[in-house]
Amino acid sequence: MAYVPKTDGLWTLGELLSVYEGDEVDPTVVHTILDVQPLFDQAPMLPANNGTNNITQVITKYPELQSRGFNEGVDPAKFAQNTRVDTCGMFASYSVIDAKMLAQNGNSAAWRAKQETAFIRGFTHGMARRIFQDTQKNDAKSFDGFQVRYNKIGEQVIDFGGTGTNLTDIWLINWDPALVHLIHPAKGLAGLQTFDRGEADAYDKNGKRFRAVMTDFEWDVGLAVEDPAQVIRIANVDVDALKDYETAPSLINKLIEAQERLPEGAGGQAAFYMSQSVRGALRLQINNHKNVQLTQENIAGRLVTAFDGVPIHKMPNSVLGSYKTAIK
């Protein structure tokens, strides 16, 4: 793997075409991923610092300032930290297209690629869902996503107050290659890889053989949160309560509160992530409030809706759809 030097040190999936040399990255796959899943517009993707693992020293308590007088000393400054080891999960799937069907379409590479776009879309949505919701407790071969790391109401988790079963989250993430980023194996490639396996034997649900063309899809990825203060979760958002914008709780106030909880100076790569239903409710609320506007920001060459300068990425319900949350 050959990296092209970059002055800002930020490598997102959208930048892979300039980060990697040669033909290591399929531009069609990269563009398809960005079209269907904007999460990867801003998330840095860096090699793990210990092979397939990323070892992080997370500071949990900063040293206190001490006063001193003349001819007096001070105690050694101390801070507390925890060692966090994040792993890269290996994820794979493959497509099977009847060889006869491909032949009837002129053995067209473009037709085949169009059929396989559905696999890329599903794979990408599944990866985004894991980044937010997965836990190694449920799948030891995966990695811990954001939800399990921010699972208690507190400084980083704001309670929206919903108590029903149709709940979801809003996330504010300040992506940064030194603070919050995705990881991939040090000797591997970032992003979804595809491998054309050509024509081979395939089997239907009854075990009967037919000839098919096959494509493997592989993606090795993990998540590293080196500074927990760079992520804010708005939890227990009641989707049903937002349907009537005139009586719904204020999303605007919670977004402002989330922004204010980020550390001073943070926000250069920050973005909100919310489900389709929640962003629709937000737009209705803003349309009925004075002096509050959504703007358009240019992110990875695309115009993205923004609130107070922070992009709002609309996530599919398959990623941040309704689910039951329980945070004490």
Side-chain angles (χ1 to χ4, degrees):
M1 179 178 63
Y3 281 109
V4 176
K6 292 179 63 64
T7 57
D8 60 8
L10 179 63
W11 301 302
T12 68
L13 189 58
E15 292 176 309
L16 281 179
L17 301 182
S18 62
V19 173
Y20 290 106
E21 296 175 338
D23 300 322
E24 294 174 296
V25 176
D26 185 342
T28 302
V29 173
V30 171
H31 293 314
T32 300
I33 290 172
L34 295 182
D35 286 343
V36 302
Q37 186 44 262
L39 170 68
F40 301 104
D41 279 351
Q42 293 180 256
M45 309 184 76
L46 303 179
N49 60 23
N50 189 36
T52 58
N53 296 329
N54 198 78
I55 301 176
T56 302
Q57 300 297 330
V58 180
I59 296 177
T60 58
K61 182 180 180 181
Y62 288 93
E64 294 288 340
L65 181 67
Q66 301 176 57
S67 62
R68 65 175 293 269
F70 292 116
N71 301 314
E72 292 181 355
V74 295
D75 295 323
K78 296 181 180 180
F79 62 90
Q81 63 182 10
N82 291 331
T83 299
R84 169 94 192 192
V85 179
D86 289 302
T87 63
C88 294
M90 296 188 297
F91 306 94
S93 183
Y94 66 95
S95 69
V96 176
I97 299 175
D98 194 303
K100 187 78 171 181
M101 185 179 296
L102 179 61
Q104 289 178 348
N105 284 274
N107 290 315
S108 168
W111 180 86
R112 180 180 174 184
K114 184 176 180 180
Q115 305 307 303
E116 292 174 345
T117 296
F119 284 85
I120 298 173
R121 179 183 294 270
F123 207 112
T124 304
H125 285 182
M127 184 60 71
R129 182 172 60 252
R130 286 180 180 272
I131 289 171
F132 282 102
Q133 298 187 38
D134 222 5
T135 71
Q136 287 188 298
K137 181 178 179 180
N138 294 337
D139 184 354
K141 298 177 183 178
S142 186
F143 58 90
D144 284 338
F146 283 117
Q147 193 178 85
V148 70
R149 300 171 193 243
Y150 296 87
N151 59 2
K152 292 184 179 180
I153 300 297
E155 185 62 27
Q156 308 308 125
V157 182
I158 300 170
D159 186 7
F160 196 78
T163 57
T165 58
N166 195 14
L167 305 178
T168 187
D169 294 326
I170 299 172
W171 293 90
L172 175 59
I173 303 170
N174 185 41
W175 297 106
D176 188 286
L179 304 174
V180 183
H181 56 88
L182 302 180
I183 55 175
H184 62 85
K187 295 184 179 181
L189 291 176
L192 176 63
Q193 299 178 69
T194 62
F195 303 91
D196 184 354
R197 300 307 186 189
E199 186 174 319
D201 287 341
Y203 298 86
D204 66 14
K205 63 181 180 180
N206 298 314
K208 296 182 178 181
R209 182 179 66 85
F210 67 99
R211 296 295 286 179
V213 289
M214 300 183 182
T215 302
D216 285 347
F217 299 87
E218 297 181 1
W219 199 343
D220 299 345
V221 70
L223 173 67
V225 180
E226 303 190 24
D227 183 359
Q230 305 298 324
V231 179
I232 305 295
R233 176 185 182 184
I234 304 174
N236 300 321
V237 180
D238 192 327
V239 177
D240 292 333
L242 296 175
K243 292 179 179 179
D244 186 346
Y245 67 86
E246 293 182 344
T247 61
S250 175
L251 287 163
I252 299 169
N253 289 346
K254 292 299 182 183
L255 296 190
I256 294 173
E257 183 179 350
Q259 287 178 300
E260 290 300 316
R261 291 200 184 189
L262 283 180
E264 192 70 27
Q269 281 292 126
F272 283 109
Y273 298 91
M274 60 186 68
S275 71
Q276 296 167 261
S277 300
V278 174
R279 199 178 82 160
L282 174 65
R283 293 184 67 180
L284 286 173
Q285 287 189 12
I286 287 177
N287 284 343
N288 288 274
H289 281 74
K290 296 180 180 179
N291 303 319
V292 180
Q293 294 183 342
L294 294 175
T295 58
Q296 298 291 308
E297 300 289 331
N298 191 302
I299 303 295
R302 299 186 300 113
L303 288 178
V304 177
T305 300
F307 174 80
D308 196 20
V310 178
I312 300 174
H313 292 304
K314 179 176 67 176
M315 308 297 285
N317 285 331
S318 63
V319 175
L320 282 183
S322 300
Y323 48 84
K324 185 175 182 180
T325 61
I327 301 178
K328 301 293 184 179

